[in-house]
Amino acid sequence: MNGPHAAESIESRYADLVPEWLDALKLMAAQSEAFDSLNHGEGPALLLLLKADAGLSAGAMSETMGITTGRMANILRRLEEKKLVDRTVVPSNRRKASITLTDEGRAYARGLHDHIRRRAISVLDVLGRDDAETLIRILRKLADNVGSERTPALAEADDAEHPGIRKP
């Protein structure tokens, strides 16, 4: 390990911060009202359909959202029950359906989009311009480097603790 903290493990440097970080994330999530009437995944599906502004297949939606087709089917079933989306069979291929927003679904999705935008502006305003830009830079850095859950420092620490064992 290189750098000023070479003697201490990655776990010992950050373990005390994990509970605080998770608590802060929970508080932020609890304060958001945007998805109160929606189940997990329904909001992003509505926003995807709003952005597409045309019918999408369930398969295309599940691929874009990074979820299984089974999970997508459940989300679409619930959105249909709420009268927010319609499924229309594609005449050229009766096994496929085009998913579109109903008028009510389009209005709801626009309201959801606007709510999320206002909420984001409010949060960024609390930080101020400089801190907001720093937060965005940090979030991008996390998105680029933590997706594998195995950062270079953690990989090095794991390899040192367990030589010869390859982790995903």
Side-chain angles (χ1 to χ4, degrees):
M1 229 190 274
N2 299 330
H5 303 288
E8 58 184 321
S9 73
I10 189 170
E11 289 87 1
S12 65
R13 287 195 312 250
Y14 301 108
D16 63 316
L17 296 177
V18 171
E20 291 180 51
W21 178 46
L22 294 175
D23 285 346
L25 290 175
K26 285 179 199 172
L27 285 172
M28 285 175 44
Q31 292 173 3
S32 176
E33 304 161 5
F35 296 101
D36 281 353
S37 65
L38 299 174
N39 291 316
H40 185 69
E42 292 176 0
L46 290 173
L47 294 173
L48 176 61
L49 287 167
L50 181 66
K51 185 178 180 182
D53 198 37
L56 293 173
S57 71
M61 291 180 71
S62 66
E63 186 176 324
T64 301
M65 292 174 61
I67 61 175
T68 66
T69 54
R71 175 85 180 106
M72 190 76 246
N74 287 332
I75 290 169
L76 292 174
R77 180 184 45 76
R78 286 193 309 273
L79 290 173
E80 261 187 308
E81 290 169 359
K82 294 176 182 179
K83 310 266 190 259
L84 298 175
V85 299
D86 279 327
R87 290 183 212 228
T88 306
V89 174
V90 176
S92 61
N93 184 348
R94 308 232 3 113
R95 294 179 300 167
K96 286 192 174 189
S98 177
I99 314 300
T100 57
L101 291 170
T102 62
D103 289 341
E104 183 181 348
R106 182 169 278 96
Y108 190 93
R110 282 187 182 132
L112 182 60
H113 176 270
D114 291 346
H115 174 82
I116 291 168
R117 187 174 184 281
R118 284 190 310 272
R119 186 84 169 134
I121 288 170
S122 175
V123 168
L124 295 174
D125 185 52
V126 167
L127 295 175
R129 183 77 190 191
D130 289 344
D131 285 349
E133 288 175 355
T134 299
L135 173 65
I136 292 166
R137 181 185 55 76
I138 290 169
L139 290 173
R140 284 194 175 137
K141 185 175 185 177
L142 288 172
D144 290 345
N145 293 294
V146 182
S148 70
E149 296 181 21
R150 191 163 147 82
T151 62
L154 187 56
E156 188 176 325
D158 283 347
D159 293 345
E161 278 184 47
H162 309 285
I165 298 177
R166 246 321 153 213
K167 295 194 178 172

